[in-house]
Amino acid sequence: MLTPAANNPNAKLNEAAPSPIGFKNVPSVEKPITLKVKGEIPSWVNGVMYRSGSGRYNLLLDNGDTFHIGHPFDGLAMLHRFEITNGSVKYNSRHTSHGVERRIAQRDPTLLTFGPDPCKTIFGRMQTVYHHISKFGTNAALQENDPEFDMVNVTVTPNFPLGKALESETGVKRGEALVVKRDANTLQVVDPETLKPLKMFTYAHVSKKLQGQLCASHHQYDEEADEYINFMVRLGPFPTFQTFTLGPYLPSGEKEQVAAPEPRLHQPIWRHLGAWKTLEALKPSYIHSFSMTKNYIIIPNFPYYYSFGGLSAIYYSCAYQTFYWDETRHTLFHVIDRHTGKHVATYEADPCFAFHTANAWDEEIELPGGRRERVIYMDYCMYENTDIVDASFELGKTPTGHLDLDSVQPAQYRFDKLTDHKQQHQISPAQFRRYRLGQVPVAEPDEKPWMSSWRDIFSPSKWTQFNKRRVASYEVIGYDLEMPRFNTRYNLKKYRYCYGVCESKFAPSYASGAVVNGLIKLDLDNVYLGANTDPESSAKIWDEPGCSCAEPVFVPHPDATAEDEGVIMSIVNTTLEDGSESCFLLILDAATFTELARATIGAFNAVTLHASFVDPSGRGIAVN
């Protein structure tokens, strides 16, 4: 989207024109500043919180035109850093997508986005396909040498296992890499203090064994096993999901003496084990996060698919128009045994969709008659379909939800969203569902791990070993919780408390075209299925007029004896009485949900997605 130079009201100020759809640029603060703290931060809270998000939506081009970014997920990447020491807070931030800005200025047709371009014609899309094919090799070379060539702005991962080659190239010591990730196989390592991008890379840079186009923004980790877990998706006529582990993940002590991380690949997931009679190929779907227990990895396969096996992405140049929802197909949960690496089960569930998983665990249940059953429990922020994706277009526009779309969104900038054609859409807060996968196959103690072998192709017993139709069940244990976080000391274990964002009661609902959030704490041992604001509800909520909260981070007390003993940190955007904008760091007591402190960051609203917290030594304490 472009505003011509002649129509720019800020031309004399040499500034970009205002966004026609309500997004504002966020200034960077590259030199650390000390924030003024109101209240008192507990003395035991020491470390650094990193937050990822978007920073720039309106770009002034050399010819005076202004380029406008139309979806919040596509805002140019920005990182925020909060260093907390003895009750004081230092803040710095940086824009980390200058290479993308250059590509926009050069009208690079190979730039992929999440949101659509309403101005692109069919002829323009055909040109885009040609450029994607002809520039494939050139772009790979450019990305190799430009650490800001692509936009990576979803999750921030401390202690990332880079591997020897990347450690040598970047100069980053083992166990000290701070890496930003997204749902494509593109990652960015940045300096943990200045946030300056150092290298853009793929998982193949870590190990040549890790090949694929897609992965999850949210990895899983097992601190006891010292393993980092994720998966790769290979697109094409016969797509596969391949889980893998990297370890050691969190080296301690003499880090340089710890072995470099080595990958272990598991059996590729390429079929529905409950549909062995048809051997129908799986369809690649949008997967932002997945679940894991001490013994299993569970990959969700929602019926929100990449059309034409993902090839349509180079036609549309955006994810939104590439995906399609198929309500006639089941959601599938594919289960990998962590010990053997084998794909041991596929469970069918009603069609549904989720961005985020919470915790998961497995346990052995005793049945009548002395029999025993292995059961997986996993929690999801689940939606009945993908209508909620349309609500993402409004993320970060204004904390009050009061935006006159007719005045800021001229007709040529309007895009036809899928829910515009539904008489009754289902844009509503998530159900917090607990899924149960029963009778999970258990490996024998002496069972050998899976290894890729041509012999398996000609071994019928290997193909039929786990063929069985299985069905997942679930119960709703809460409503209106997204961006889930919990005490990571209870990771892979049964837990009681989950924290997240919820609809603000002081703003219009998601369904009415606003995304304004409060903070919520659910007590999962005291389920209440009425409104969270009811007096009988066990939920605790922080919500103030004119405020919108970002994902909470739970930081446990180092000597905690209770699961909810710690603090919650969030970034809050607010609109003041005079109409001006502000944002602040909010710190709550995680048990009582009372405010302990806040620190004003600046006179702007910052759109952040996810965050991680590290202790003073740089070790991840709360990682997402």
Side-chain angles (χ1 to χ4, degrees):
M1 294 184 289
L2 286 175
T3 294
N7 298 340
N8 181 3
N10 298 330
K12 291 183 179 180
L13 301 174
N14 198 32
E15 294 179 355
S19 169
I21 50 176
F23 294 122
K24 297 182 180 180
N25 290 345
V26 181
S28 64
V29 181
E30 295 190 6
K31 185 177 180 180
I33 59 173
T34 299
L35 304 183
K36 183 179 179 180
V37 177
K38 179 182 177 182
E40 186 174 345
I41 300 174
S43 60
W44 58 266
V45 180
N46 293 284
V48 177
M49 180 175 70
Y50 297 99
R51 296 198 76 102
S52 61
S54 303
R56 300 187 69 203
Y57 301 91
N58 310 295
L59 310 176
L60 186 64
L61 306 180
D62 290 340
N63 65 356
D65 293 346
T66 299
F67 180 87
H68 301 289
I69 290 169
H71 193 283
F73 294 171
D74 296 325
L76 298 191
M78 186 174 189
L79 293 176
H80 305 260
R81 182 180 186 271
F82 300 84
E83 183 175 349
I84 302 175
T85 309
N86 298 323
S88 68
V89 182
K90 286 187 176 181
Y91 167 77
N92 61 294
S93 59
R94 181 183 287 267
H95 297 129
T96 56
S97 289
H98 290 96
V100 178
E101 186 173 352
R102 287 191 291 272
R103 293 173 68 188
I104 290 172
Q106 296 164 2
R107 308 293 202 275
D108 184 348
T110 66
L111 194 61
L112 293 173
T113 62
F114 185 90
D117 182 351
C119 302
K120 183 170 282 190
T121 64
I122 292 177
F123 178 70
R125 292 187 181 123
M126 295 301 295
Q127 285 183 314
T128 297
V129 173
Y130 166 76
H131 288 297
H132 272 290
I133 296 171
S134 63
K135 285 191 170 186
F136 180 78
T138 304
N139 280 356
L142 289 172
Q143 180 173 299
E144 190 68 30
N145 297 301
D146 183 355
E148 302 185 42
F149 180 77
D150 222 330
M151 190 165 60
V152 188
N153 66 342
V154 184
T155 55
V156 191
T157 303
N159 315 119
F160 186 91
L162 284 180
K164 283 184 179 180
L166 283 173
E167 288 171 356
S168 175
E169 181 178 350
T170 62
V172 176
K173 294 182 179 179
R174 187 157 301 160
E176 297 182 4
L178 182 68
V179 168
V180 192
K181 311 198 304 295
R182 65 176 186 173
D183 295 319
N185 186 13
T186 312
L187 304 89
Q188 184 185 55
V189 59
V190 302
D191 186 285
E193 293 187 0
T194 67
L195 306 178
K196 180 180 179 181
L198 303 175
K199 175 72 177 178
M200 190 154 285
F201 65 100
T202 68
Y203 278 105
H205 285 78
V206 179
S207 172
K208 296 296 184 185
K209 296 179 181 179
L210 303 178
Q211 300 289 335
Q213 293 79 35
L214 307 172
C215 51
S217 290
H218 298 273
H219 69 284
Q220 290 284 351
Y221 66 98
D222 184 335
E223 192 164 351
E224 291 182 10
D226 202 11
E227 290 181 338
Y228 169 104
I229 299 92
N230 208 326
F231 67 91
M232 306 295 297
V233 180
R234 289 194 181 192
L235 299 173
F238 299 98
T240 60
F241 306 84
Q242 183 154 50
T243 58
F244 65 88
T245 65
L246 284 170
Y249 170 40
L250 291 169
S252 57
E254 295 296 325
K255 297 178 182 178
E256 297 300 322
Q257 317 234 339
V258 177
E262 289 294 331
R264 178 193 169 202
L265 272 62
H266 304 139
Q267 183 178 17
I269 300 167
W270 63 272
R271 67 188 182 98
H272 176 358
L273 294 179
W276 67 92
K277 292 182 180 180
T278 62
L279 291 182
E280 180 181 357
L282 297 176
K283 293 187 177 185
S285 60
Y286 176 58
I287 308 171
H288 186 63
S289 60
F290 63 102
S291 299
M292 188 177 81
T293 72
K294 291 298 293 183
N295 296 299
Y296 302 97
I297 301 167
I298 306 96
I299 304 296
N301 194 177
F302 304 115
Y304 191 41
Y305 301 123
Y306 289 86
S307 55
F308 299 101
L311 293 177
S312 58
I314 64 175
Y315 174 72
Y316 290 113
S317 285
C318 81
Y320 181 80
Q321 290 171 298
T322 298
F323 299 133
Y324 72 96
W325 169 253
D326 187 349
E327 64 182 3
T328 67
R329 295 176 66 96
H330 291 105
T331 288
L332 304 177
F333 294 111
H334 303 290
V335 180
I336 293 285
D337 187 303
R338 288 182 60 192
H339 306 290
T340 65
K342 295 178 181 178
H343 180 197
V344 297
T346 299
Y347 290 79
E348 295 179 352
D350 292 341
C352 55
F353 172 74
F355 286 110
H356 298 111
T357 65
N359 204 1
W361 70 96
D362 67 86
E363 58 186 57
E364 194 172 59
I365 306 294
E366 186 169 353
L367 301 175
R371 295 181 298 117
R372 307 190 75 81
E373 176 188 18
R374 177 64 60 175
V375 177
I376 293 172
Y377 296 98
M378 52 189 189
D379 293 347
Y380 276 81
C381 302
M382 196 66 79
Y383 303 91
E384 294 184 1
N385 60 25
T386 53
D387 287 354
I388 192 65
V389 176
D390 282 7
S392 69
F393 282 77
E394 312 307 319
L395 180 67
K397 286 190 175 177
T398 167
T400 62
H402 300 145
L403 184 66
D404 185 354
L405 293 179
D406 290 327
S407 63
V408 302
Q409 197 171 41
Q412 66 266 31
Y413 295 126
R414 293 188 186 276
F415 177 77
D416 228 9
K417 293 182 284 191
L418 297 178
T419 51
D420 291 342
H421 301 281
K422 287 188 173 184
Q423 291 184 346
Q424 291 185 329
H425 62 66
Q426 292 173 282
I427 297 179
S428 59
Q431 294 180 346
F432 198 69
R433 295 184 184 180
R434 176 160 294 168
Y435 280 85
R436 184 186 191 277
L437 310 183
Q439 298 182 347
V440 186
V442 178
E444 296 295 331
D446 58 349
E447 191 169 341
K448 293 181 179 179
W450 173 86
M451 293 185 65
S452 180
S453 172
W454 285 102
R455 294 179 182 176
D456 291 352
I457 298 176
F458 305 103
S459 175
S461 63
K462 296 289 179 84
W463 281 53
T464 60
Q465 182 180 3
F466 299 110
N467 285 355
K468 183 178 180 180
R469 184 169 183 265
R470 304 172 188 270
V471 178
S473 60
Y474 73 87
E475 61 175 328
V476 177
I477 57 174
Y479 288 100
D480 195 8
L481 185 148
E482 252 294 1
M483 302 285 199
R485 300 298 290 261
F486 55 91
N487 186 341
T488 54
R489 293 178 181 175
Y490 290 77
N491 190 35
L492 316 183
K493 304 172 185 176
K494 185 175 173 54
Y495 69 125
R496 179 174 179 178
Y497 300 109
C498 192
Y499 304 84
V501 298
C502 62
E503 274 193 329
S504 171
K505 67 179 181 181
F506 299 107
S509 66
Y510 298 163
S512 64
V515 179
V516 181
N517 298 318
L519 296 174
I520 188 170
K521 172 188 179 183
L522 289 185
D523 183 344
L524 306 180
D525 284 356
N526 291 286
V527 174
Y528 179 79
L529 298 182
N532 292 322
T533 52
D534 287 352
E536 301 84 3
S537 173
S538 59
K540 296 184 184 297
I541 295 175
W542 187 96
D543 189 18
E544 289 189 355
C547 290
S548 186
C549 305
E551 174 194 63
V553 177
F554 179 92
V555 180
H557 191 292
D559 301 317
T561 56
E563 183 181 333
D564 60 352
E565 188 174 353
V567 297
I568 288 294
M569 295 184 184
S570 178
I571 300 300
V572 182
N573 290 328
T574 183
T575 301
L576 304 179
E577 291 183 0
D578 62 1
S580 62
E581 295 181 343
S582 179
C583 71
F584 58 90
L585 169 67
L586 174 68
I587 300 179
L588 305 177
D589 182 301
T592 64
F593 242 45
T594 56
E595 182 174 330
L596 299 175
R598 66 173 67 185
T600 299
I601 303 166
F604 52 82
N605 280 178
V607 178
T608 64
L609 297 174
H610 297 293
S612 291
F613 186 87
V614 302
D615 67 15
S617 70
R619 184 182 177 89
I621 299 297
V623 179
N624 196 354

